[in-house]
């Protein structure tokens, strides 16, 4: 049976102590307003997986690389006593994660309260389907990150502008400089949440199937079916755009 990409430890969000909120800052060592990061995130009751612990990673290089490779996350929180999980956009800036939301969402407005909103954010990349000789040992090669923390609404205009640019560039690097910024009406309808990266873990599964010795002689094919994500050739919106040159940052993505 396929292994779940990432399994956070058991616990309730209320057991988390909200991390101190610090202003946005660059990732350059020694200049961040957050405490200077160590090579690894600390292990807690929330970020040590209960299954496949040998595949867990807490080093910042692995976590950052997995986060930077994507732009869609799943944001989990509790609404009226029930769990809610929403797919949305995200971007990493230093030791902070920004998540896109709507000001019309009642639960996300709770992030504007002084105590913030306890959340869990997950990011997963599927790299291959692992096919074993037995159904039980089929699995998925993947890279995933689980972030536990307290989300707050970004209200500072300068940080908010940087966060919105980062969200656009996370999906298409270079795009924020090549489009109109949000106007006042659009900005009023957009919520940006910030979660400090303090309680984080990654999980990576690589390689081929784990076979039972007695299955090795079975005639069934075994191995890995790679899964790739690729950008296609940009498609213009209409005839007017068809004569406009495609920006270099898009052709670079299309080339992979």
């Amino acid at each position: 049976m396929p292994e779940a990409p990432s399994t956070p430890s058991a616990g309730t969000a209320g057991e988390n102590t909200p991390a101190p909120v610090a202003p946005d800052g660059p990732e350059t060592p020694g200049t961040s307003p957050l405490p200077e990061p160590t090579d690894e995130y600390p292990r807690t009751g929330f970020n040590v997986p209960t299954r496949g612990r040998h595949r867990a990673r807490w080093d910042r290089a692995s976590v950052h690389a997995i986060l930077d490779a994507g732009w869609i996350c799943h944001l989990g929180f509790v609404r009226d006593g029930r769990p809610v999980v929403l797919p949305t956009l995200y971007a990493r800036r230093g030791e902070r994660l920004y998540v896109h939301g709507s000001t019309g969402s009642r639960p996300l407005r709770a992030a504007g309260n002084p105590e913030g909103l306890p959340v869990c954010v997950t990011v997963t990349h599927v790299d291959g389907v692992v096919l074993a000789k037995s159904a039980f040992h089929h699995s998925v090669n993947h890279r995933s990150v689980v972030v536990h923390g307290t989300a707050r609404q970004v209200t500072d205009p300068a940080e908010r502008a940087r966060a919105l640019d980062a969200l656009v560039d996370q999906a298409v690097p270079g795009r924020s400089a090549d489009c109109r910024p949000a106007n006042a009406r659009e900005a009023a309808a957009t919520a940006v949440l910030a979660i400090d990266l303090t309680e984080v873990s990654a999980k990576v599964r690589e390689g081929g199937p784990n076979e039972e010795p007695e299955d090795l002689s079975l005639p069934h094919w075994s191995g890995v079916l790679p899964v790739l994500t690729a950008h296609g050739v940009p498609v213009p919106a209409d005839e007017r755009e068809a004569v406009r040159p495609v920006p270099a940052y898009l052709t670079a993505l299309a080339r992979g």
Side-chain angles (χ1 to χ4, degrees):
M1 295 173 62
E3 178 185 317
S6 188
T7 307
S9 298
T12 59
E15 294 168 354
N16 269 339
T17 300
V21 174
D24 181 32
E27 192 177 359
T28 306
T31 64
S32 173
L34 292 172
E36 187 167 342
T38 59
D39 290 337
E40 289 195 348
Y41 293 100
R43 292 163 175 75
T44 73
F46 282 89
N47 68 354
V48 177
T50 55
R51 288 192 63 221
R53 188 174 301 190
H54 62 288
R55 297 193 174 111
R57 301 182 184 183
W58 293 269
D59 64 287
R60 294 175 191 274
S62 294
V63 169
H64 291 178
I66 293 170
L67 291 175
D68 294 349
W71 46 282
I72 296 293
C73 70
H74 287 84
L75 173 68
F77 52 92
V78 175
R79 179 183 68 190
D80 299 330
R82 301 182 64 177
V84 177
V85 179
L86 301 176
T88 187
L89 306 176
Y90 76 90
R92 182 184 72 87
R93 185 181 172 89
E95 290 297 320
R96 180 162 294 162
L97 206 64
Y98 290 108
V99 177
H100 181 272
S102 168
T103 55
S105 172
R106 179 168 56 90
L108 295 187
R109 287 201 301 270
N113 297 331
E115 63 273 18
L117 177 69
V119 298
C120 178
V121 180
T122 64
V123 172
T124 303
H125 307 290
V126 176
D127 296 322
V129 181
V130 182
L131 306 172
K133 292 184 180 293
S134 68
F136 179 81
H137 285 300
H138 281 56
S139 190
V140 176
N141 281 346
H142 65 275
R143 294 160 289 142
S144 64
V145 165
V146 176
V147 179
H148 291 277
T150 301
R152 63 171 182 84
Q153 274 206 36
V154 178
T155 57
D156 176 74
E159 182 184 4
R160 182 183 173 85
R162 290 194 299 269
L164 290 172
D165 284 348
L167 288 165
V168 173
D169 287 335
Q170 185 89 5
V172 181
R175 183 61 180 177
S176 68
D178 191 31
C179 62
R180 175 180 63 79
N183 58 33
R185 176 181 57 82
E186 294 163 342
T190 305
V192 179
L193 304 183
I195 304 104
D196 289 333
L197 296 176
T198 56
E199 203 162 19
V200 190
S201 65
K203 200 174 181 186
V204 178
R205 203 260 187 221
E206 301 171 302
N210 298 317
E211 304 281 18
E212 299 293 342
E214 60 269 24
D215 291 340
L216 294 176
S217 60
L218 293 176
H220 316 299
W221 188 91
S222 65
V224 177
L225 178 65
V227 176
L228 305 175
T229 300
H231 292 88
V233 176
V235 179
D238 51 34
E239 293 181 358
R240 179 176 54 188
E241 295 301 320
V243 299
R244 195 186 306 275
V246 176
Y249 59 83
L250 289 183
T251 57
L253 282 178
R255 287 195 300 265

